[in-house]
């Protein structure tokens, strides 16, 4: 998918990006909508995600030589849509800082202020964004075996406490809730895939990339299915649907070697890495969009008059803005939960399934108009 970043590195980075929202939203939202059928929602979402993978490869094939997604958005849809994309990227980066800080305060340091964690993570994200997407992809590739290995070990242990009556039999109303429950797997998997489009900078992806991305989607759905089986099978769909962080609650109850061990602090510490990579990549993508918005690379543009030869200096504006936004975004747990469960997923779905298809349609229209 990308000339300077190996495909394996890029997809590994995507898995790490996927884990942060997946463990935040899933399977709580799916259990609320589909009950015992929550573990079927990733399987139901898979055909749509495979179709979305094909769409993303077609979208990327419309780039010109040397273009990345921000350039394509600006060329096809204009600066207003590019500005909207930049605002979304900044908002999501700020939300990641705020949600990660809340996870620390809620599980490890209950008497601490979330502002300290948001500020420290913001500084780390700035350093990661300055390093660039190639460095982030390499870090993601190195971290993936460790992060995914810990997750799979925890889920394997949790499967030992699964009760069959928490998963079966399925009621008609639960099957009818699958349509709503599918939204969460769509949100987390499509969002991670769309984020990978920002650092991709090659020519036409081709059928191999389409197949690789489809298989990647299938792997994510398999992981979500395993997560739903472990969490809802152990806690039950009623309790799972009421909890804001059901996976971390499950980890708190796990038993190792016939003794109860408190490992949730270790897991929360481990999840610094997905938050770090997500915030870093989104800040970097924000700076790229803002640079193109200012006319970067064009003579006489605002960027040229300001002496901006690259988007790097804009990160020193974006990172503090994300931290400030994180501090004012949700001053209490109730508003953070609303952002987490409703506003951010809705914005992400609109970006993935409305804005990007609109960019594709406009790019194709401009392409045909140019041919004529």
């Amino acid at each position: 998918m990308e000339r300077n970043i190996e495909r394996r590195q890029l997809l590994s980075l995507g898995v790490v990006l996927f884990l942060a929202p997946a463990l935040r939203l899933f399977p709580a939202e799916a259990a609320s909508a589909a009950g015992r059928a929550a573990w079927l929602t990733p399987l139901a979402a898979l055909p749509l995600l495979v179709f979305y993978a094909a769409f993303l490869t077609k979208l990327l094939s419309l780039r010109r030589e040397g273009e990345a997604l921000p350039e394509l958005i600006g060329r096809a849809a204009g600066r207003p849509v590019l500005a909207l994309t930049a605002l979304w990227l900044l908002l999501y980066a700020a939300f990641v800082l705020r949600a990660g800080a809340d996870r620390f305060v809620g599980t490890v340091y209950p008497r601490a202020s979330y502002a300290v964690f948001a500020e420290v993570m913001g500084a780390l994200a700035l350093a990661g964004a300055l390093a660039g997407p190639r460095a982030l992809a390499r870090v993601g590739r190195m971290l993936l075996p460790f992060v995914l290995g810990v997750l799979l070990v925890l889920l394997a242990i949790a499967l030992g406490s699964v009760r069959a009556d928490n998963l079966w039999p399925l009621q008609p109303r639960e099957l009818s809730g699958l349509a709503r429950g599918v939204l969460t797997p769509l949100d987390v998997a499509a969002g991670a895939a769309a984020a990978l489009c920002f650092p991709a900078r090659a020519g036409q992806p081709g059928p191999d990339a389409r197949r690789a991305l489809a298989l990647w989607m299938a792997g994510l759905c398999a992981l979500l299915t395993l997560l739903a089986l472990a969490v809802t099978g152990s806690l039950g769909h009623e309790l799972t649907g009421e909890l804001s962080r059901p996976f971390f609650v499950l980890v708190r109850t796990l038993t190792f070697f016939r003794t109860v061990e408190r490992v949730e602090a270790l897991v929360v510490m481990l999840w610094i890495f997905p938050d770090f990579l997500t915030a870093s990549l989104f800040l970097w993508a924000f700076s790229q969009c803002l640079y193109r918005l200012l006319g970067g690379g064009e003579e006489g543009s605002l960027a040229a008059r300001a002496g901006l030869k690259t988007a790097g200096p804009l990160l020193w504006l974006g990172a503090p803005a994300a931290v400030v936004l994180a501090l004012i975004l949700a001053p209490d747990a109730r508003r953070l939960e609303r952002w987490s469960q409703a506003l951010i997923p809705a914005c992400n779905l609109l970006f993935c399934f409305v804005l990007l298809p609109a960019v594709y349609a406009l790019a194709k229209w401009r392409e045909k108009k140019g041919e004529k």
Side-chain angles (χ1 to χ4, degrees):
M1 293 175 63
E2 210 270 357
R3 181 174 54 192
N4 296 320
I5 304 177
E6 292 182 4
R7 184 185 299 166
R8 290 183 179 180
Q9 291 179 342
L10 200 60
L11 294 180
S12 296
L13 174 63
V15 175
V16 180
L17 299 179
F18 157 84
L19 289 175
L23 296 184
R24 186 183 76 247
L25 294 173
F26 195 83
E29 296 299 307
S32 297
R36 290 184 184 88
W39 61 277
L40 290 175
T41 56
L43 303 178
L46 181 56
L48 296 174
L49 289 171
V50 170
F51 175 79
Y52 192 69
F55 159 73
L56 288 180
T57 56
K58 288 184 178 180
L59 175 69
L60 294 182
S61 70
L62 297 178
R63 296 167 303 170
R64 295 171 180 171
E65 183 63 29
E67 276 190 343
L69 187 58
E71 290 91 340
L72 175 60
I73 293 175
R75 175 170 58 83
R79 292 188 174 180
V81 177
L82 190 58
L84 189 63
T85 302
L87 288 175
W88 160 240
L89 293 167
L90 183 64
L91 175 64
Y92 195 87
F95 171 76
V96 169
L97 298 180
R98 177 65 179 91
D102 181 76
R103 191 162 57 245
F104 265 99
V105 173
T107 58
V108 184
Y109 302 103
R111 296 184 181 179
S113 169
Y114 70 85
V116 175
F117 297 102
E119 291 165 359
V120 171
M121 184 56 70
L124 292 175
L126 171 60
L130 287 170
R134 293 185 64 185
L136 295 176
R138 289 171 181 170
V139 172
R141 179 69 175 170
M142 290 187 295
L143 289 175
L144 180 61
F146 181 57
V147 175
L148 193 57
V150 170
L151 176 60
L152 291 176
V153 168
L154 293 174
L155 293 180
I157 295 171
L159 288 174
S161 59
V162 167
R163 294 174 50 187
D165 59 337
N166 286 335
L167 303 172
W168 197 269
L170 303 180
Q171 303 298 324
R173 60 181 177 81
E174 293 173 331
L175 292 174
S176 64
L178 276 176
R180 287 187 295 117
V182 158
L183 291 177
T184 302
L186 281 179
D187 171 38
V188 297
L196 296 182
C197 293
F198 284 96
R201 188 183 290 272
Q204 294 190 359
D208 290 341
R210 187 181 303 117
R211 188 181 305 110
L213 192 54
L215 291 174
W216 181 79
M217 291 288 196
L220 298 187
C221 287
L223 186 59
L224 287 177
T225 302
L226 184 62
L227 177 63
L229 287 172
V231 176
T232 60
S234 300
L235 303 179
H237 67 276
E238 298 94 345
L239 180 58
T240 299
E242 294 175 359
L243 295 172
S244 59
R245 289 185 291 261
F247 171 74
F248 294 99
V249 172
L250 174 66
V251 169
R252 192 175 297 173
T253 66
L254 293 182
T255 301
F256 298 86
F257 306 109
R258 299 183 180 180
T259 60
V260 178
E261 301 286 347
R262 297 295 297 273
V263 297
E264 69 271 17
L266 173 62
V267 175
V268 169
M269 293 291 290
L270 184 62
W271 248 250
I272 289 177
F273 299 118
D275 289 342
F276 160 71
L277 289 174
T278 302
S280 298
L281 182 64
F282 275 71
L283 282 176
W284 175 86
F286 162 78
S287 70
Q288 297 296 314
C289 289
L290 185 57
Y291 182 65
R292 301 305 169 189
L293 193 62
L294 297 176
E298 301 175 4
E299 293 185 5
S301 65
L302 185 58
R305 292 197 298 271
L308 294 175
K309 297 182 179 179
T310 66
L314 296 174
L315 287 169
W316 295 94
L317 172 66
V323 172
V324 171
L325 190 55
L327 297 180
I328 65 176
L329 189 67
D332 54 59
R334 181 181 60 83
R335 276 177 278 192
L336 177 62
E337 186 174 359
R338 184 165 180 261
W339 275 101
S340 176
Q341 297 182 358
L343 299 179
I344 292 295
C347 290
N348 191 55
L349 288 170
L350 286 172
F351 174 76
C352 292
F353 294 98
V354 176
L355 191 144
L356 289 183
V359 170
Y360 175 79
L362 287 170
K364 291 293 288 184
W365 177 76
R366 290 181 182 277
E367 188 179 76
K368 291 182 180 180
K369 186 179 179 181
E371 290 176 357
K372 293 180 180 179

